[in-house]
Amino acid sequence: MAHKILVSHESPISILTESKDYNDYDYALVHLFETHSEYLNFFKASLLAGRQVLLDNSIFELGTAFDGKKFGQYVMDLKPSFYIVPDVLENGYETIKSFNQFTNTYPSLPGLKIGAVQGKTYDELVDCYKYMSEYADYIAISFDFSYYLATGIGKTKLERWCNGRQQFIQDLINDGIWNWSKPHHLLGCSLAKEFRYYVDKNIYNIRSCDTSNPVVAGLKGLTYNGDLGLQDKPSVKLADLIDHKVTQEELDNINYNTIMFKQILKR
């Protein structure tokens, strides 16, 4: 039986209600809670309605993880289904220290603990992966490691990121390191076509992914080339468009792109 990868596409506040139609679960960026109370309230209401919510520590948007003490308070307040423990970009050993420190400080937070894998070399990434495999409830792997640029195949950075994460996951499987008993989350993407690989290979415990790709593309007037997605990627981050008032034309683009994204995830 083909497995289903659950997907969430971060969206501007003006279409958060509509986003429930194309998202399998809801994905929250914690730093926006500080400035947008309606954003926080949307996720509280979403949980009350029985939907799953993943709380991200906003490291991709901020460059460093959101303040650990404040993050712990927001986890206690929101009570998300899952939360990404504060990590350190491309530093596996500091990420392990951060995970250990945070979980010791907050041993009984609501929700499942997601441990993000970080590192610059295969050995460092593996060490971090093995730690998260043992201590996290859920394992997350990012789309844009510099390691992928060195190992991935393709003419563009986007292609090498896309191919590089596929190859990294395949290497973990081939080397007997991949933990088949724990769910995995894929953070972001460079090219939407990447995810077909995991479905075709039946890597069944890749449970979820998040990417604003089809939404940002739609806001920029770009539509997917069917289930091939795009060969390019708008460089703007969704968090920088959080206050954008989405037009009907933009919403039509987004709806089309998200339908095509779902097609990529089908066998």
Side-chain angles (χ1 to χ4, degrees), residues 50-61:
R51 286 175 67 86
Q52 292 189 321
V53 170
L54 194 161
L55 181 61
D56 190 344
N57 65 47
S58 296
I59 195 169
F60 180 68
E61 289 72 24

Side-chain angles (χ1 to χ4, degrees), residues 191-194 196 224-231 260 264:
L191 301 173
K193 66 180 183 179
E194 176 195 349
R196 175 65 61 81
Y224 274 28
N225 178 14
D227 61 1
L228 296 174
L230 299 171
Q231 286 302 107
M260 289 303 104
I264 292 168

Side-chain angles (χ1 to χ4, degrees), residues 112-126:
L112 297 182
K113 300 185 294 292
I114 299 179
V117 176
Q118 294 287 356
K120 272 199 159 63
T121 66
Y122 184 66
D123 287 346
E124 184 181 358
L125 287 162
V126 164

Side-chain angles (χ1 to χ4, degrees), residues 5 7-11 15 18-24 192 211-219 222-227 229 250-266:
I5 299 176
V7 65
S8 190
H9 305 296
E10 300 94 315
S11 302
I15 57 166
E18 288 84 349
S19 76
K20 290 184 176 185
D21 293 334
Y22 53 75
N23 284 338
D24 298 317
T211 174
S212 62
N213 185 285
V215 174
V216 174
L219 295 176
L222 302 172
T223 52
Y224 274 28
N225 178 14
D227 61 1
E250 290 167 344
L251 184 57
D252 290 344
N253 291 340
I254 290 167
N255 283 330
Y256 174 77
N257 289 347
T258 54
I259 288 168
M260 289 303 104
F261 194 96
K262 282 281 201 316
Q263 291 297 316
I264 292 168
L265 298 179
K266 289 183 177 177

Side-chain angles (χ1 to χ4, degrees), residues 27-222:
Y27 195 95
L29 297 167
V30 70
H31 75 291
L32 296 176
F33 291 174
E34 300 273 273
T35 52
H36 295 75
S37 59
E38 69 272 43
Y39 183 77
L40 171 58
N41 289 335
F42 168 81
F43 294 103
K44 287 184 174 180
S46 196
L47 286 159
L48 284 173
R51 286 175 67 86
Q52 292 189 321
V53 170
L54 194 161
L55 181 61
D56 190 344
N57 65 47
S58 296
I59 195 169
F60 180 68
E61 289 72 24
L62 301 176
T64 55
F66 190 75
D67 177 76
K69 186 174 181 181
K70 281 187 181 178
F71 187 69
Q73 290 168 344
Y74 275 123
V75 174
M76 284 186 272
D77 178 36
L78 180 63
K79 299 179 177 59
S81 316
F82 326 93
Y83 59 91
I84 302 177
V85 175
D87 51 325
V88 181
L89 284 178
E90 301 224 341
N91 192 321
Y93 304 112
E94 287 301 314
T95 291
I96 289 170
K97 278 173 61 178
S98 177
F99 187 98
N100 188 48
Q101 182 178 4
F102 184 86
T103 54
N104 283 336
T105 304
Y106 302 98
S108 54
L109 289 176
L112 297 182
K113 300 185 294 292
I114 299 179
V117 176
Q118 294 287 356
K120 272 199 159 63
T121 66
Y122 184 66
D123 287 346
E124 184 181 358
L125 287 162
V126 164
D127 285 347
C128 190
Y129 181 93
K130 286 179 174 176
Y131 179 89
M132 298 308 169
S133 177
E134 184 168 354
Y135 294 104
D137 302 312
Y138 209 129
I139 303 168
I141 300 174
S142 295
F143 81 95
D144 60 349
F145 292 149
S146 57
Y147 173 76
Y148 302 150
L149 296 180
T151 58
I153 298 168
K155 293 180 180 177
T156 67
K157 178 187 281 190
L158 296 175
E159 286 281 358
R160 295 200 301 278
W161 275 339
C162 172
N163 175 265
R165 180 160 61 177
Q166 292 172 345
Q167 189 57 56
F168 174 59
I169 290 172
Q170 194 60 56
D171 287 345
L172 291 176
I173 293 170
N174 294 345
D175 293 343
I177 296 161
W178 185 260
N179 185 343
W180 290 100
S181 66
K182 283 206 170 160
H184 288 64
H185 178 86
L186 300 185
L187 292 158
C189 79
S190 58
L191 301 173
K193 66 180 183 179
E194 176 195 349
F195 298 100
R196 175 65 61 81
Y197 179 89
Y198 310 116
V199 177
D200 286 347
K201 294 283 186 180
N202 195 28
I203 306 174
Y204 55 82
N205 62 330
I206 294 179
R207 180 186 180 274
S208 55
C209 66
D210 74 280
T211 174
S212 62
N213 185 285
V215 174
V216 174
L219 295 176
K220 296 298 179 181
L222 302 172

Side-chain angles (χ1 to χ4, degrees), residues 11-14 16 32 36 39 237-244:
S11 302
I13 289 171
S14 63
L16 281 178
L32 296 176
H36 295 75
Y39 183 77
K237 293 176 181 175
L238 190 281
D240 297 327
L241 300 170
I242 199 67
D243 294 316
H244 180 77

